[in-house]
Amino acid sequence: MSRATREGGRSMILVFDMQDSSQLPSIADPFFQEMGAEVTFEPVMNLDDLQRGLAALK
């Protein structure tokens, strides 16, 4: 999804299944290096991940 921001720039929401946090640099770097983009990450999880995380609290 791509849309314009109030400042006149463009934004994009990209959803992907990251198996390990070590994948983050290889995913993000092309946006910085090739497009000069400002990148913000918002981690999310599916129901199975949430249940495993909550079970670890017990």
Side-chain angles (χ1 to χ4, degrees):
M1 175 189 320
S2 180
R3 65 181 102 169
T5 65
R6 285 183 232 171
E7 297 81 23
R10 293 186 179 194
S11 65
M12 177 177 75
I13 297 172
L14 175 66
V15 179
F16 58 93
D17 185 13
M18 186 170 61
Q19 298 298 312
D20 188 270
S21 59
S22 65
Q23 293 175 280
L24 194 55
S26 65
I27 292 168
D29 197 62
F31 291 101
F32 294 120
Q33 297 295 323
E34 296 175 23
M35 299 193 289
E38 178 181 327
V39 180
T40 304
F41 292 95
E42 296 291 334
V44 296
M45 62 181 71
N46 62 30
L47 181 58
D48 293 335
D49 293 337
L50 177 60
Q51 289 172 335
R52 278 195 305 274
L54 290 175
L57 294 174
K58 297 178 182 178

